[in-house]
Amino acid sequence: MRFLRTVGLPFCLLTCCALSAVHAQVAPATRIVRLAADDWPPFVSPKLPADGMSATMVSAVFERIGYAVKYEYFPWKRTMQFGLGDPRYAGFMAVWRTPEREKLCHFSVPIGNTLAVLAYLKEDGSPGASLHELGKLRVGTVAGYANGEQFDAMVARGELSTEEGLNDATNLKKLLIRRYRVIVIERHVLQHLLMGPEFGKAERERIAFVDTVFKERPVHVCFKRDAAGALQQKRFNEAAREVDLARL
């Protein structure tokens, strides 16, 4: 188990600022590409410099090919609907790859790395070190999120008791009032939320998490799975090699 550590937030903000400086050196973009997004700090959020770490990377890549990116924010399910079905949008982000989504998306190179954790209240004790130990504990998830093949398969078979919330912040509040026994949440998102204005020191000190249940997964831009999306994916991925996202 892990208790909350606060080093992640300042590091994320410094990274955003550094990345902003990198893409500020590129010639001004003249065309606009729109991406739908869920407010998911520190990866992508209208409240962060340059819309967050992943958004800053995406903007830097698009500037290489003459585009400025406009991020428009919705709850996750609407983000997917607009990103895939609305002609105003080239796609959506930040998204995990799944077999089902391979049929819907042309995926970009990774634009961030994530690790989901099981967050719980210290006073209630650890829920266990594996998914099978969760039994019938009520687990909070976000509507529309893919939480890994094993977790999603266990939910489909009725082996886990889950309840969907609108977003991670809502689920965290429900955890604190014991509506949920445990929630699934990305570790950096958890740190960022708890260091934000909606939660105080008392709430932070009540939270712990298990970080050995899920595997690390990259996130991507999902471009529409059509000819235009395939071309955008190709141009984006080629330009990304010039930006060197891994180093950043």
Side-chain angles (χ1 to χ4, degrees):
M1 82 184 78
R2 298 282 181 89
F3 296 149
L4 181 70
R5 293 177 292 180
T6 59
V7 67
L9 179 57
F11 174 79
C12 293
L13 295 177
L14 286 172
T15 302
C16 288
C17 293
L19 288 170
S20 297
V22 170
H23 80 246
Q25 299 170 11
V26 181
T30 58
R31 292 169 291 179
I32 300 294
V33 61
R34 285 180 170 81
L35 293 173
D38 179 32
D39 187 356
W40 199 48
F43 297 96
V44 57
S45 173
K47 305 178 186 72
L48 291 178
D51 287 82
M53 294 189 301
S54 293
T56 304
M57 294 179 184
V58 170
S59 295
V61 173
F62 268 113
E63 281 189 339
R64 291 283 179 179
I65 53 178
Y67 285 88
V69 185
K70 183 175 178 58
Y71 302 96
E72 298 183 358
Y73 291 88
F74 310 95
W76 181 243
K77 281 192 172 182
R78 291 180 64 196
T79 293
M80 292 189 293
Q81 291 169 358
F82 285 134
L84 292 172
D86 192 313
R88 293 176 297 171
Y89 300 100
F92 67 99
M93 62 176 281
V95 59
W96 293 299
R97 297 183 80 145
T98 68
E100 294 78 13
R101 290 173 181 170
E102 293 287 351
K103 304 171 186 176
L104 303 173
C105 302
H106 289 297
F107 286 105
S108 74
V109 295
I111 57 169
N113 201 37
T114 69
L115 178 66
V117 300
L118 296 176
Y120 63 94
L121 299 180
K122 294 177 186 176
E123 61 258 37
D124 291 337
S126 173
S130 71
L131 295 180
H132 294 286
E133 292 180 65
L134 294 179
K136 291 300 180 180
L137 296 179
R138 179 174 290 181
V139 180
T141 63
V142 175
Y145 278 19
N147 293 305
E149 292 186 19
Q150 182 186 11
F151 184 95
D152 292 343
M154 291 178 70
V155 172
R157 294 194 298 265
E159 297 171 11
L160 293 174
S161 177
T162 61
E163 181 178 315
E164 292 187 337
L166 180 65
N167 54 42
D168 288 305
T170 299
N171 283 356
L172 186 53
K173 291 174 183 177
K174 290 182 178 180
L175 176 67
L176 287 163
I177 62 172
R178 289 193 168 91
R179 173 74 177 269
Y180 300 142
R181 175 64 171 82
V182 61
I183 62 172
V184 180
I185 187 169
E186 202 283 328
R187 58 179 171 177
H188 294 114
V189 174
L190 174 63
Q191 288 183 322
H192 187 94
L193 288 173
L194 286 175
M195 292 302 295
E198 293 187 72
F199 303 95
K201 181 180 178 182
E203 286 85 6
R204 288 195 293 273
E205 291 180 346
R206 294 178 65 198
I207 300 294
F209 60 84
V210 178
D211 62 0
T212 56
V213 174
F214 298 95
K215 297 179 181 178
E216 288 193 356
R217 293 183 291 166
V219 285
H220 309 262
V221 178
C222 166
F223 295 104
K224 294 175 182 175
R225 197 164 185 84
D226 55 22
L231 179 59
Q232 288 171 323
Q233 176 212 42
K234 180 176 182 293
R235 296 183 68 193
F236 182 93
N237 288 351
E238 288 174 351
R241 290 197 290 268
E242 300 175 18
V243 177
D244 192 0
L245 299 184
R247 179 178 62 83
L248 293 175

